[in-house]
């Protein structure tokens, strides 16, 4: 029997991302029960077991909607039916006290659970079910927010123990793969809630772009992310070297940083501010440009207030970050 193209579309990249692991290694797959993660789980079991890997299915109950505990139980049952070697489920309370929205806070909680699972079970790789459609939405959101190249590079294919093998796979293929394999995917009500910006992008904005500009918009946005990721990695490496060269015992050498091109200087300032304790979600380009003026347009201004009760100032030829 010929393998259905959608099933193959999911299995092939999973096989590639597992190919460097050794028999007996453990791999975890995060599964919400939606089509993307369910198709990923099935492909991971199929390809992982061929390689002699131990597959652990993980589901996280974020407690954000009625019936979430029952849904988590349902996913555990599905994962066991698919053939994972072990299942893990965790219930968390999403903490938005830091100012993060519910989506961001849920993501932070979910990754914390997955990192704990990876550590506890000596997992070599944790697979996430983000697709090409997710990548396109991320790039488009970054573009409309004016977030710069770092945001436009979208989601990384891999970082640390995590891997996203389906970033080149369309959501339609994961849905079809589930149907072909007889897997009943869960439709998360949040995915249809227009109160979420990402849902509006998915349901309204991208379809309009496809209608008005022609097919292939999602693929083009994903290609843009791939191209910018290489460029950003190079600039980040150069900025890191510039920052290292400017380090002194009590701060950063102003002349050394000021001599750098703006693209590197701004990245170095951004990295230095984060290292000084400025919250990443609150640090904006406006803050970076104001700090930059201390380097290249200094007229005796005292300091620049930054989020997280921090400030940047120029003192004795050094750029200094300290508590406000």
């Amino acid at each position: 029997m010929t393998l259905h193209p959608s099933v193959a579309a999911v299995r092939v990249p999973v096989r590639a991302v597992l190919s460097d692991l050794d028999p007996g290694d453990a791999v975890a797959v995060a599964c919400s029960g939606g089509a993307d993660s369910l198709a990923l789980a099935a492909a991971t079991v199929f390809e992982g077991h061929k390689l002699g890997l131990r597959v652990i299915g993980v589901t996280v109950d974020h407690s954000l909607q009625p019936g979430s505990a029952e849904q988590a139980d349902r996913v555990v049952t599905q994962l066991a039916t698919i053939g994972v070697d072990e299942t893990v489920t965790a219930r968390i309370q999403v903490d938005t006290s830091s100012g993060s929205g519910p989506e961001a806070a849920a993501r932070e909680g979910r990754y914390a659970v997955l990192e704990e699972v990876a550590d506890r079970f000596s997992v070599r790789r944790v697979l996430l079910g983000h697709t090409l459609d997710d990548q396109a939405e991320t790039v488009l959101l970054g573009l409309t927010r004016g977030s710069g190249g770092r945001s436009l590079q979208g989601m990384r294919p891999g970082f640390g123990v995590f891997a996203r093998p389906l970033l080149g796979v369309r959501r339609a293929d994961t849905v079809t793969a589930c149907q072909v394999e007889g897997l009943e995917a869960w439709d998360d009500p949040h995915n249809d809630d227009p109160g979420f910006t990402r849902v509006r992008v998915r349901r309204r904005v991208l379809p309009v772009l496809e209608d008005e500009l022609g097919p292939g918009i999602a693929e083009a946005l994903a290609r843009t992310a791939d191209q910018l990721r290489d460029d950003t990695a190079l600039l980040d490496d150069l900025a890191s070297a510039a920052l290292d060269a400017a380090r002194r015992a009590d701060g950063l050498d102003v002349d050394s940083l000021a001599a750098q091109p703006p693209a590197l200087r701004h990245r170095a300032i951004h990295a230095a501010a984060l290292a000084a304790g400025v919250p990443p979600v609150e640090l904006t380009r406006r803050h970076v440009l104001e700090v930059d003026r201390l380097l290249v347009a200094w007229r005796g201004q005292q300091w620049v207030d930054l989020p997280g009760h921090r400030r940047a100032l120029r003192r004795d030829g050094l750029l200094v970050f300290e508590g406000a």
Side-chain angles (χ1 to χ4, degrees):
M1 181 184 294
T2 303
L3 187 64
H4 192 282
S6 292
V7 176
V10 176
R11 287 183 182 177
V12 168
V14 170
R15 183 187 313 148
V17 86
L18 298 179
S19 62
D20 64 329
L21 302 184
D22 298 319
D25 283 346
V27 58
V29 55
C31 186
S32 67
D36 299 340
S37 60
L38 201 58
L40 175 63
T44 303
V45 168
F46 183 86
E47 298 294 342
H49 284 174
K50 285 200 304 182
L51 296 170
L53 304 178
R54 178 167 163 247
V55 180
I56 301 169
V58 185
T59 184
V60 180
D61 174 12
H62 302 89
S63 309
L64 287 176
Q65 50 191 306
S68 62
E70 290 79 5
Q71 170 57 21
D73 290 341
R74 178 173 175 268
V75 174
V76 168
T77 300
Q78 285 183 301
L79 289 170
T81 301
I82 289 172
V84 300
D85 299 291
E86 190 164 355
T87 59
V88 176
T89 182
R91 182 179 178 88
I92 63 174
Q93 295 295 324
V94 174
D95 180 12
T96 59
S97 60
S98 64
S100 301
E103 286 182 284
R107 181 170 58 250
E108 291 172 4
R110 181 167 61 252
Y111 278 99
V113 168
L114 294 172
E115 287 172 350
E116 183 177 347
V117 168
D119 182 61
R120 181 176 300 180
F121 292 92
S122 300
V123 167
R124 290 284 309 279
R125 200 145 298 152
V126 178
L127 305 190
L128 307 173
H130 301 106
T131 65
L132 184 148
D133 298 79
D134 295 313
Q135 184 75 299
E137 293 159 13
T138 300
V139 175
L140 189 55
L141 283 168
L143 180 63
T144 58
R145 291 168 177 164
S147 301
R150 190 178 303 279
S151 178
L152 295 184
Q153 68 180 315
M155 293 179 284
R156 294 170 288 176
F159 58 103
V161 73
F162 296 99
R164 296 182 173 110
L166 304 187
L167 281 185
V169 178
R170 293 302 304 261
R171 184 174 293 129
D173 280 320
T174 65
V175 171
T176 301
C178 286
Q179 293 170 345
V180 170
E181 296 186 278
L183 303 174
E184 185 178 351
W186 174 57
D187 291 323
D188 185 347
H190 284 173
N191 289 337
D192 292 314
D193 184 352
F196 293 104
T197 303
R198 184 176 287 272
V199 172
R200 297 195 298 275
V201 168
R202 179 180 306 158
R203 302 295 187 188
R204 301 176 186 174
V205 178
L206 277 171
V208 168
L209 291 176
E210 295 273 357
D211 288 343
E212 297 298 328
L213 301 179
I217 295 298
E219 288 86 352
L221 290 168
R223 285 197 305 274
T224 298
D226 289 339
Q227 294 162 6
L228 283 173
R229 194 174 302 113
D230 291 339
D231 295 345
T232 299
L234 174 60
L235 288 171
D236 283 346
D237 287 344
L238 294 174
S240 179
L243 189 58
D244 289 341
R247 292 189 194 281
R248 303 293 183 267
D250 298 320
L252 302 172
D253 184 77
V254 167
D255 292 337
S256 178
L257 282 179
Q260 298 295 329
L264 301 186
R265 199 169 63 240
H266 296 163
R267 280 174 165 77
I269 291 170
H270 188 275
L274 295 183
V278 178
V281 295
E282 299 180 38
L283 182 62
T284 66
R285 180 165 175 78
R286 180 183 64 80
H287 294 126
V288 171
L289 293 179
E290 284 299 311
V291 175
D292 189 55
R293 292 182 68 248
L294 296 175
L295 302 176
V296 299
W298 190 55
R299 299 294 183 269
Q301 57 266 43
Q302 291 184 319
W303 61 71
V304 175
D305 287 318
L306 297 171
H309 305 291
R310 311 300 293 172
R311 65 186 180 188
L313 64 154
R314 179 167 172 158
R315 178 191 295 145
D316 299 329
L318 298 176
L319 178 65
V320 178
F321 294 87
E322 62 182 23

